[in-house]
Each structure stands twice: as C-alpha cells, then as structure tokens.
Amino acid sequence: MTRINSPMEIFKLLNGSNCRACNEKTCMAFAVAVFKERRSLDECPYIDEETLAEYGGKTEKPNTIDEYMAEAVENLKLRIPGIDLSEAAGRTGADFDGRKLTVRVMGKAFCIDAEGNLSADIHINAWVAVPVLNYVLYSSGAPASGNWITFRELKGGPERLNHFQQNCEKPFKRIADSYPGLFRDMLEVFSGRHADTHINSDISIILYPLPLLPVLFCYWEPEEGMGSSLHIFFDKSADKNLDSESIYIMLEGMAKMFDKIAERNRSKQS
Ligand code: SF4
C-alpha cells in the first residue's frame, strides 16, 4: 500500500470532473473526506482497480490540523484566478473595485485579488480563509429566506452535528455564562443586531459572518431549577451559500476568537 500524505495526493488520483457521483460537491471535497477517513477511495466510481490496489483506500496522516488547513487555503487560492471576481462580487454581496473583491466578514473587510492574494482588516487564519474562499468560489447567491433552521437541518449537518455542538454551541454557551459582555461585544464589535424572531429566547442576536450567511445566536438565562442554554440557528438558504463543513469551521473559529476576547477581559479585571 502506498502512503498518502495530503488531500492533494488523493485529489491527483481523481479525474477532476466534479461530477458529484460520490455525493460530494467537488473532487477536492471528496479527496479531503477520504483523507479524513470519512469516505473511502472506492466510493468514486472512476477509480480503477490498479489505483485501488496500490492505495487501498487508506491514508496516513502525518500532517497536523494546522498544516492541513493551511494546505486547504493554498488549494482554494489556486482556484481564484479561474473565476470572474466581478461576477463573484455580485453573486456574494461583496464589492469589486476593478482590482480586488472585498467581502465583509462580521462587518470587517476581507480582500481577494485576481491572483488569489488575501488581505484583511482582521487577522487572517485558515478558520476564516477557508470558509471565505469557499463562499466566494461556490456560493449560489441565494438571498436570506427569513426562516431559521438548526445545523442538523443543513445539507451534511447530521454528519457533523456532534462536532458542531461540542466545538461551537458549547463554547459559546460557556462564554455567555461566564462573560456577560459577550452579547454586547457581538453587537458592537462585530456589527450584530438584536433579532425579532418567534424563538422565545432571553437574548437573540444576528451576526453576519458573511453577507449571505446570517447566523442567529439565542441564549436562555438560567431559571429556577433549570440551567442556561444557547443554540445557534441558520437561515434556510445557508447551505446554498456555504457548505456545512465551512459553516462549522467558521463558527468554530468564531468560538475560539470570542474565547480569547473573554479571556483578555478576565485577565484585565483580575
Ligand atoms: S465521483 Fe469521483 S470524479 Fe466525480 S466528483 Fe466524486 S471524486 Fe470527483
């Protein structure tokens, strides 16, 4: 069996047609899923017997998650020269000044030029860059419907639900419980707004991680005999504008960022 070190090596074994017969959006998405051992190589119907025998559908993973994410960013940047940035800006609610596309990430400018170079008002890490690049490359431009659904209801949501609850909802709840300034900061620093919805929570705030990706945070304060709870909802159009893995990555990155803000606040106060 031949050792495989990265999703790119798996990608090179595929025919690159993005035909979706494997139920992934692209051959690259399938390659990443095989690398993460969520899928096996023989689920692509175009892999020949010889390749399967050589690679056996198994991979080894010497890369750290950071290296893997950095590689994902580089692979996505390579696809930017193949798209029309002006069209992409119109489709995604971004701006185009003839040279670069500027998309608002929680209200902050994030720029992509025609060569795929990135610059931003915020710190660029892979947890932001991967979702933003996928959004610009693949968003359908579907407008918000005004109907809120859970992560489980997104396409591909059930498979990632446990990770989403553990690494997104739980950390946000923990921060909200111990850092009362969280929601004020969401409103002020990241251009959030109070939401008026049928969801009967004590606090409801909408953030826009991306222009066509409103996210609703609902928090229920503790009451007699009952603990607090926090749930995150998405517009029904969310998975038409960003795949659920990228949505998960972005929310996980946001939870880490708010954790750092809360930590800084705690140390200032102590
Ligand atoms: S079935 Fe194979 S060729 Fe088609 S998208 Fe999936 S990986 Fe690519």
Side-chain angles (χ1 to χ4, degrees):
M1 188 193 306
T2 304
R3 174 186 168 116
I4 290 183
N5 296 306
S6 72
M8 213 43 205
E9 289 178 33
I10 298 168
F11 179 68
K12 286 178 189 161
L13 303 174
L14 308 173
N15 67 20
S17 64
N18 300 329
C19 71
R20 299 188 176 200
C22 59
N23 289 323
E24 296 288 348
K25 257 188 195 165
T26 61
C27 292
M28 179 54 80
F30 179 77
V32 170
V34 172
F35 186 70
K36 289 177 160 181
E37 295 179 353
R38 286 204 313 268
R39 309 291 304 269
S40 72
L41 199 53
D42 59 6
E43 290 177 79
C44 169
Y46 304 107
I47 294 286
D48 60 44
E49 292 297 323
E50 206 179 312
T51 306
L52 269 185
E54 188 177 349
Y55 292 93
K58 301 280 184 225
T59 62
E60 294 179 38
K61 296 194 281 185
N63 291 2
T64 64
I65 185 72
D66 286 342
E67 287 169 340
Y68 160 69
M69 290 292 285
E71 189 169 320
V73 172
E74 292 311 310
N75 288 333
L76 289 167
K77 282 162 67 176
L78 289 176
R79 296 182 208 171
I80 293 293
I83 66 167
D84 176 347
L85 282 187
S86 165
E87 181 279 330
R91 176 169 44 80
T92 59
D95 296 317
F96 182 64
D97 66 3
R99 204 173 54 82
K100 62 181 188 318
L101 173 151
T102 301
V103 63
R104 296 272 153 193
V105 178
M106 287 194 288
K108 313 284 179 196
F110 187 110
C111 305
I112 305 172
D113 74 14
E115 279 79 51
N117 299 307
L118 311 179
S119 57
D121 285 353
I122 50 173
H123 174 61
I124 299 178
N125 63 34
W127 274 261
V128 175
V130 166
V132 173
L133 285 162
N134 270 322
Y135 175 73
V136 169
L137 287 163
Y138 303 117
S139 165
S140 72
S145 68
N147 297 315
W148 298 104
I149 59 173
T150 62
F151 188 83
R152 184 201 291 272
E153 294 170 271
L154 297 176
K155 190 173 175 214
E159 293 95 303
R160 299 176 178 92
L161 185 60
N162 280 345
H163 284 100
F164 177 77
Q165 289 171 334
Q166 289 302 320
N167 300 327
C168 303
E169 285 185 325
K170 267 196 180 171
F172 269 112
K173 176 185 169 308
R174 199 183 55 238
I175 302 164
D177 286 342
S178 63
Y179 170 44
L182 169 70
F183 295 109
R184 188 200 57 225
D185 286 352
M186 278 183 168
L187 287 171
E188 289 175 9
V189 185
F190 297 108
S191 311
R193 64 175 173 82
H194 284 292
D196 187 16
T197 74
H198 66 283
I199 301 170
N200 199 16
S201 51
D202 295 309
I203 301 174
S204 307
I205 286 187
I206 300 177
L207 289 190
Y208 283 80
L210 292 163
L212 297 177
L213 191 76
V215 179
L216 174 64
F217 292 77
C218 292
Y219 181 67
W220 288 261
E221 288 162 357
E223 275 180 29
E224 247 174 67
M226 271 174 58
S228 64
S229 59
L230 184 145
H231 291 290
I232 301 173
F233 298 90
F234 301 89
D235 189 86
K236 211 172 173 188
S237 62
D239 54 10
K240 295 187 177 66
N241 291 317
L242 193 63
D243 60 281
S244 57
E245 179 161 19
S246 294
I247 291 175
Y248 162 70
I249 289 170
M250 191 149 215
L251 269 290
E252 186 187 22
M254 284 169 65
K256 286 181 179 160
M257 183 179 62
F258 275 106
D259 215 8
K260 278 189 191 154
I261 294 173
E263 188 52 47
R264 268 204 299 273
N265 254 25
R266 274 193 287 271
S267 25
K268 264 192 216 158
Q269 283 161 6
S270 59

